Amino acid sequence: CHRPTIRYRPIQPSDLEILEKIHADVFPIRYESEFFQNVVNERDIVSWAAVDCSRPNDNNNELIGFVTARIVLAKESEVGLLRFKEGTTMVPQAPAAQIGDLLRYDPSRPDQTLVYILTLGVVEAYRNRGIATSLIREVIKYAASISTCRAVYLHVISYNIAAIHLYKKMSFKCIRRLQGFYLINGQHYDSYLFVYYVNGG
Ligand code: ACO
């Protein structure tokens, strides 16, 4: 029986193809190729990959999971805004409140930042082994290491029970339900906004 040894490392340009493939496999939404280029070239995006070192040589550096995130200014971040989730069609029907407001944004500190998780995924054969948990821990550690950072946040589609359980288990707080946030194949779906406070948030 195959015993995986999971290692975490940054995503590299050579991961481009597999990164695109896993996104296509696990998400109902197509992301633009520009998004993947930005990830592998670390353009405004931070990311972590999970690989299984116990696989045979050809595959022991191949992605089996990933998380991608972006640093945003708290005063500019909005609860539902197109530009923070590339490739998705979003219809923010409620007025887009500022995430900063929800985080008790302090106007005397305009440099406050947040880390927004764009995508998280683990290939099916490697699920339920704590890999997504470890990837999110990396993001939280990174966010906590930035002194201006107040929180990590993300959106999740309302029917994604596995992901919702995962975020709740990791003590993310669900602070909003956004009606019709996603538009997929002509159908609207709600999203939940989850937040994890860091540095006294
Ligand atoms: N049903 C219910 N809860 C689940 C399930 C499931 N099938 N899978 C994971 N969880 C929850 C549980 O709370 C679990 O803790 P437990 O085992 O103690 O019950 C917890 O998640 C930890 O699970 P991990 O093993 O760390 O998660 P995994 O590595 O399996 O990855 C993920 C979870 C990322 C949601 C995976 O199922 C996946 O890739 N799904 C498809 C893509 C996706 O939905 N990504 C998240 C979208 S939101 C976003 O990208 C911002």
Side-chain angles (χ1 to χ4, degrees), residues 74-102:
K75 65 174 177 191
E76 286 173 2
S77 63
E78 296 186 30
V79 172
L81 195 68
L82 261 164
R83 66 193 162 109
F84 293 132
K85 190 111 179 173
E86 286 92 342
T88 65
T89 314
M90 285 187 182
V91 184
Q93 288 170 347
Q98 306 251 283
I99 291 271
D101 296 343
L102 301 171

Side-chain angles (χ1 to χ4, degrees), residues 37-193:
Q37 291 289 346
N38 290 344
V39 173
V40 301
N41 295 306
E42 297 173 71
R43 260 187 244 123
D44 288 333
I45 292 180
V46 288
S47 64
W48 287 263
V51 299
D52 177 1
C53 328
S54 64
R55 290 172 84 184
N57 284 344
D58 283 356
N59 301 111
N60 66 6
N61 199 29
E62 183 179 294
L63 257 65
I64 51 141
F66 59 82
V67 63
T68 65
R70 159 172 296 170
I71 303 176
V72 298
L73 274 174
K75 65 174 177 191
E76 286 173 2
S77 63
E78 296 186 30
V79 172
L81 195 68
L82 261 164
R83 66 193 162 109
F84 293 132
K85 190 111 179 173
E86 286 92 342
T88 65
T89 314
M90 285 187 182
V91 184
Q93 288 170 347
Q98 306 251 283
I99 291 271
D101 296 343
L102 301 171
L103 302 182
R104 302 176 292 278
Y105 171 68
D106 178 357
S108 70
R109 299 187 53 194
D111 61 336
Q112 286 187 4
T113 58
L114 306 166
V115 170
Y116 181 56
I117 296 184
L118 294 156
T119 60
L120 165 76
V122 174
V123 302
E124 241 173 81
Y126 284 89
R127 288 188 188 164
N128 297 305
R129 299 167 186 264
I131 294 173
T133 303
S134 298
L135 287 165
I136 294 171
R137 279 209 200 100
E138 293 293 332
V139 178
I140 291 172
K141 247 196 298 175
Y142 169 76
S145 77
I146 303 169
S147 61
T148 55
C149 187
R150 298 271 82 90
V152 176
Y153 76 106
L154 58 87
H155 292 104
V156 57
I157 202 158
S158 55
Y159 63 69
N160 192 342
I161 305 301
I164 290 165
H165 277 181
L166 166 66
Y167 302 134
K168 285 189 172 161
K169 192 181 168 196
M170 295 194 74
S171 307
F172 276 72
K173 302 283 173 260
C174 182
I175 62 171
R176 277 283 196 289
R177 182 176 179 124
L178 298 161
Q179 290 222 335
F181 184 79
Y182 293 103
L183 178 60
I184 302 169
N185 298 328
Q187 221 194 306
H188 290 283
Y189 299 89
D190 295 354
S191 82
Y192 291 111
L193 173 63

